[in-house]
Amino acid sequence: DAGVIQSPRHEVTEMGQEVTLRCKPISGHNSLFWYRQTMMRGLELLIYFNNNVPIDDSGMPEDRFSAKMPNASFSTLKIQPSEPRDSAVYFCASSLNRVSSEQYFGPGTRLTVT
Amino acid sequence: GESVGLHLPTLSVQEGDNSIINCAYSNSASDYFIWYKQESGKGPQFIIDIRSNMDKRQGQRVTVLLNKTVKHLSLQIAATQPGDSAVYFCAETGAGRRALTFGSGTRLQVQP
């Protein structure tokens, strides 16, 4: 298996633009997680899905952020409009079931909003 | 709020020495703990986990110790190698909670 796949690996955009990050979880995994990592705040959970259904989105910073999982093999995290403070590395992770099992992380998307 | 934290932000060791990375957690209901390793430019990588019904678990060159009385977790790396240089995170969750809470991380630097 190729592991969790994220695209793009790097994204540079101007403030106000829409940004869409993509994730393909490991086949057979039922849970998918979106994290954001910054120097100031460390690794934060934004949202997680179980069987394609959003379970906990309490970490989503504000309405500018939205996430979808239309099927078991694909998820998106969208920021609209983007702001400089959204600059971070965004990780997607998947696990076999819920939280109490090993989460496999993707390589991350480094987002820079200027 | 409840949180997971690390005592030492940076740990420098000599190659071949043993390393100990510590982590404190505050939620007494936490019952599952994981250590992750993150190398520069990569996502966190699972190292070892432990459940609250255990106080020690060993892997290859790594041992995790859990002291529930003082809510403390440690990761021991035997015969530390240059390839062990990375940032190490502890993470925890518990019954009824749905998310892993990550600590702030400790950077391990292995000197040749």
Side-chain angles (χ1 to χ4, degrees):
Chain A
D1 198 314
V4 176
I5 299 173
Q6 290 187 248
S7 64
R9 291 296 311 277
H10 302 274
E11 177 79 33
V12 180
T13 191
E14 292 184 346
M15 181 175 63
Q17 297 297 307
E18 176 182 305
V19 175
T20 299
L21 310 181
R22 297 172 176 80
C23 175
K24 175 179 168 53
I26 293 174
S27 177
H29 281 190
N30 297 323
S31 296
L32 182 141
F33 308 81
W34 282 102
Y35 292 89
R36 178 173 67 177
Q37 187 174 40
T38 62
M39 289 295 293
M40 292 296 293
R41 300 175 67 88
L43 198 60
E44 304 173 279
L45 177 69
L46 300 177
I47 186 171
Y48 102 89
F49 296 83
N50 194 53
N51 292 323
N52 312 338
V53 176
I55 301 300
D56 184 351
D57 65 353
S58 60
M60 295 287 263
E62 48 196 273
D63 292 345
R64 296 185 298 106
F65 286 69
S66 62
K68 295 182 180 180
M69 192 166 185
N71 57 63
S73 60
F74 184 66
S75 177
T76 59
L77 178 67
K78 182 180 293 186
I79 308 172
Q80 180 184 22
S82 59
E83 297 182 3
R85 60 193 169 122
D86 301 331
S87 298
V89 180
Y90 290 81
F91 288 104
C92 176
S94 69
S95 70
L96 276 174
N97 51 59
R98 296 189 180 273
V99 177
S100 294
S101 62
E102 180 180 349
Q103 294 183 22
Y104 294 80
F105 282 75
T109 295
R110 180 173 294 278
L111 173 65
T112 302
V113 183
T114 60
Chain B
E2 294 163 335
S3 64
V4 175
L6 293 172
H7 295 305
L8 300 173
T10 303
L11 177 65
S12 185
V13 301
Q14 292 293 124
E15 181 178 358
D17 287 351
N18 296 333
S19 303
I20 300 176
I21 301 172
N22 296 303
C23 177
Y25 63 96
S26 57
N27 191 333
S28 57
S30 296
D31 60 9
Y32 180 62
F33 306 86
I34 309 176
W35 281 100
Y36 281 91
K37 171 186 180 182
Q38 186 175 22
E39 297 175 279
S40 180
K42 298 182 179 180
Q45 178 185 11
F46 174 93
I47 302 174
I48 192 168
D49 61 358
I50 189 169
R51 296 194 181 273
S52 59
N53 60 352
M54 302 173 68
D55 53 22
K56 180 179 180 179
R57 192 171 186 210
Q58 289 184 291
Q60 186 177 12
R61 285 201 305 119
V62 295
T63 300
V64 55
L65 299 177
L66 174 63
N67 186 331
K68 295 181 288 295
T69 301
V70 295
K71 296 197 283 292
H72 185 268
L73 190 69
S74 68
L75 176 70
Q76 301 178 359
I77 304 174
T80 313
Q81 303 169 358
D84 295 327
S85 294
V87 176
Y88 290 79
F89 294 94
C90 64
E92 52 86 20
T93 189
R97 281 184 290 147
R98 302 181 180 278
L100 280 175
T101 301
F102 281 81
S104 56
T106 292
R107 181 174 299 281
L108 177 65
Q109 296 177 336
V110 182
Q111 308 297 328

